[in-house]
Amino acid sequence: MKNAKSFEISKQLVWEAFKRVKENRGTSGIDDVTIADFEKNLKSNLYKIWNRMSSGCYLPSPVKLVEIPKSNGGTRPLGIPTVEDRVAQMVVVMTIEPFIEPHFHADSYAYRKNKSAHDALETARSRSYTFHWVVDLDIKGFFDNIDHDLLIKALERHVTSKWAMMYIKRWLAVPYQVKDGSQVQRNKGVPQGSVIGPILANLFLHYVFDEWMKRNHSNLSFERYADDTIVHCVSLKQAEFIKKAIQKRLADCKLELNETKTKIVYCKKNHREIEHECIQFDFLGYTFRPRRAIDVHGEVFLNFSPAISKSARTKIWKTIREWNHHYWVQLTLEEIAKQINPVIQGWINYYGKYNIKVLKNILQRINLKLSRWVRNKFKGFRKFKTKAIYRLGDIALAKPNLFAHWTWGAKPTASPRNRKRLAA
């Protein structure tokens, strides 16, 4: 037939893929076309993607390379495809995911429906109480060092669609493009920031780590969220053994264990008095360490539990510092709340899962920032920090649900007069 296509790809699938890409938002690629720009001629743009993918002539653009600062002072390379490529990648993800997802390990939590980081944290918390040793693993430059041949071999076990495999291979081969327009050729790795990257990375570690553990060390429990992984052990000897075994396994799969960041941790609690140099680890933005707690009988004991990590706390404080209080002078408190509440609620939803007192103390920084609004807005408060806080506290009494952290319980201190009135 004259209009026959090489591959059967439905227009509805392309449309659904675009809707998912739009939900995920994201910035523009090398063509500087945003999602809003793409939508201006949406029907034509989606038809173009469908037509070229169905004909087998879709060629991806280079990936924009952006260096993201890391908390330790280094940078993480982020590869940002064009909106057009993100839609095309989502078409492939939606096609291959049903054939791959059912095979993933129960303790693989990242990028999966009905699983979350909180699920991984809860399992880690429970197991850290039962098992006294943890191997906290760190793979050096994981996303940048995924071997393409091994990845394709893993894909071929699940993906029967010829066109999906063809496009995946093209995306793996496209170069990075840096600020000056020059290009960096790639022969390994999956760009962080790509739509297809998560499922490819997950599948790679499924065979490199999850299945290997299941075959060779099924007596050991672990939680893996992308490349963030911890393994639970019953003794130091077992922890040292599995660390060496994992190191060899990764080397066999052309990956490297980061020796400076990988550590063996003793989950210190009341009933064990073993001395070990490392008694805490970070996992998914939480620090697990010994903490004083009170049992149902009022007795103080030492527990091993999670709370927001120092690096996550620092990021929150950095965000709060960057909020422009000079610009806020032009706004009402209601307008400020509308701007920052989604961010605050996101912090509460994620970091308020465990040890909420720590997070409440952190969010008091927002109240200090808001008190600057009071001082800048009203002349009578400019030289009086404490009075500004009290004024904000009085507002919180009158409008307790104005800010997300006020609703949650991290309110500023009200004036002594109003506190007495409440106490009465």
Side-chain angles (χ1 to χ4, degrees):
M1 291 176 63
K2 186 178 178 181
N3 295 321
K5 299 295 183 182
S6 301
F7 306 113
E8 288 189 18
I9 302 172
S10 75
K11 293 178 181 177
Q12 182 63 29
L13 180 60
V14 178
W15 168 243
E16 293 296 331
F18 168 73
K19 288 197 289 186
R20 283 208 200 177
V21 168
K22 184 179 178 181
E23 284 175 10
N24 295 335
R25 294 182 285 187
T27 187
S28 58
I30 61 164
D31 58 1
D32 292 326
V33 174
T34 64
I35 291 175
D37 296 330
F38 188 86
E39 278 191 292
K40 289 176 183 176
N41 198 10
L42 183 59
K43 188 174 180 180
S44 176
N45 286 332
L46 293 182
Y47 178 83
K48 192 187 302 180
I49 293 171
W50 169 80
N51 188 45
R52 285 190 284 166
M53 290 190 78
S54 299
S55 302
C57 61
Y58 185 90
L59 295 173
S61 302
V63 176
K64 181 166 74 175
L65 182 63
V66 178
E67 298 288 343
I68 304 297
K70 293 171 71 174
S71 56
N72 62 7
T75 59
R76 175 183 291 107
L78 190 68
I80 304 173
T82 62
V83 174
E84 186 178 78
D85 279 332
R86 296 212 297 275
V87 174
Q89 287 183 16
M90 187 62 81
V91 169
V92 172
V93 169
M94 293 171 71
T95 300
I96 68 175
E97 192 174 47
F99 300 98
I100 296 176
E101 163 64 26
H103 297 277
F104 284 145
H105 194 282
D107 282 314
S108 169
Y109 293 89
Y111 321 126
R112 301 183 64 189
K113 291 178 181 178
N114 304 318
K115 283 187 178 288
S116 69
H118 281 160
D119 293 332
L121 286 161
E122 179 57 31
T123 306
R125 187 191 67 83
S126 176
R127 287 173 177 167
S128 294
Y129 193 80
T130 304
F131 302 101
H132 303 302
W133 297 88
V134 157
V135 183
D136 181 16
L137 299 169
D138 187 275
I139 302 173
K140 187 179 290 186
F142 167 64
F143 281 88
D144 297 325
N145 290 295
I146 293 174
D147 183 81
H148 287 177
D149 291 337
L150 291 176
L151 175 58
I152 289 168
K153 185 179 178 182
L155 282 162
E156 287 173 343
R157 298 187 67 168
H158 302 280
V159 180
T160 57
S161 169
K162 291 182 180 179
W163 62 267
M165 285 298 298
M166 179 180 72
Y167 290 128
I168 290 171
K169 289 175 182 177
R170 289 182 187 177
W171 283 313
L172 289 175
V174 294
Y176 283 130
Q177 183 165 308
V178 295
K179 278 185 178 180
D180 63 6
S182 60
Q183 295 185 355
V184 180
Q185 298 302 316
R186 299 168 47 242
N187 55 18
K188 62 179 179 178
V190 173
Q192 291 192 69
S194 64
V195 169
I196 202 159
I199 194 167
L200 298 185
N202 228 7
L203 181 65
F204 190 76
L205 273 184
H206 171 74
Y207 284 107
V208 168
F209 183 79
D210 303 355
E211 281 295 293
W212 175 79
M213 285 287 289
K214 186 178 176 181
R215 281 196 315 272
N216 299 284
H217 306 285
S218 59
N219 59 316
L220 298 182
S221 300
F222 66 87
E223 295 84 45
R224 181 176 70 78
Y225 195 95
D227 60 325
D228 202 349
T229 309
I230 57 173
V231 181
H232 301 272
C233 301
V234 297
S235 67
L236 176 60
K237 185 177 179 180
Q238 188 181 58
E240 290 170 338
F241 167 79
I242 196 62
K243 179 188 169 186
K244 288 180 181 177
I246 292 169
Q247 188 173 30
K248 183 179 182 306
R249 171 61 178 173
L250 292 178
D252 290 342
C253 299
K254 303 180 183 181
L255 292 173
E256 185 180 353
L257 202 61
N258 190 328
E259 284 286 351
T260 58
K261 292 185 178 180
T262 296
K263 55 190 177 183
I264 294 175
V265 181
Y266 172 56
C267 304
K268 185 178 178 66
K269 309 177 199 71
N270 262 2
H271 62 288
R272 301 284 305 266
E273 292 301 328
I274 297 172
E275 292 300 321
H276 187 68
E277 60 182 357
C278 187
I279 57 171
Q280 69 176 47
F281 65 89
D282 283 3
F283 185 53
L284 302 179
Y286 280 79
T287 296
F288 287 70
R289 67 171 178 82
R291 301 177 194 275
R292 289 169 62 85
I294 300 175
D295 65 19
V296 292
H297 304 293
E299 297 291 328
V300 177
F301 69 102
L302 197 64
N303 197 2
F304 194 83
S305 60
I308 183 172
S309 69
K310 182 179 178 180
S311 61
R313 185 167 65 233
T314 301
K315 285 180 183 177
I316 289 176
W317 284 341
K318 182 175 183 291
T319 300
I320 295 170
R321 281 198 305 272
E322 289 172 351
W323 285 340
N324 191 338
H325 62 267
H326 296 296
Y327 163 69
W328 281 1
V329 176
Q330 308 168 40
L331 307 177
T332 65
L333 271 186
E334 285 75 13
E335 288 169 334
I336 295 170
K338 188 176 180 180
Q339 284 188 10
I340 68 175
N341 269 345
V343 177
I344 300 170
Q345 192 61 56
W347 292 334
I348 292 169
N349 291 348
Y350 188 76
Y351 295 110
K353 177 75 173 176
Y354 302 102
N355 213 322
I356 62 174
K357 185 179 178 181
V358 177
L359 183 60
K360 283 183 178 180
N361 288 337
I362 293 167
L363 296 184
Q364 287 294 341
R365 293 265 181 124
I366 302 172
N367 293 330
L368 292 176
K369 193 80 172 183
L370 291 169
S371 73
R372 293 286 294 273
W373 174 85
V374 174
R375 289 162 60 198
N376 290 335
K377 191 85 170 177
F378 307 106
K379 290 181 180 180
F381 292 95
R382 282 182 185 171
K383 295 181 181 179
F384 304 99
K385 293 182 180 180
T386 303
K387 284 187 176 180
I389 282 287
Y390 286 163
R391 175 60 181 150
L392 193 67
D394 292 344
I395 294 171
L397 286 178
K399 300 178 180 180
N401 298 321
L402 182 56
F403 288 92
H405 63 298
W406 291 1
T407 304
W408 195 55
K411 293 186 178 72
T413 304
S415 61
R417 181 184 61 187
N418 278 324
R419 275 182 282 160
K420 284 180 182 178
R421 182 172 57 81
L422 279 177

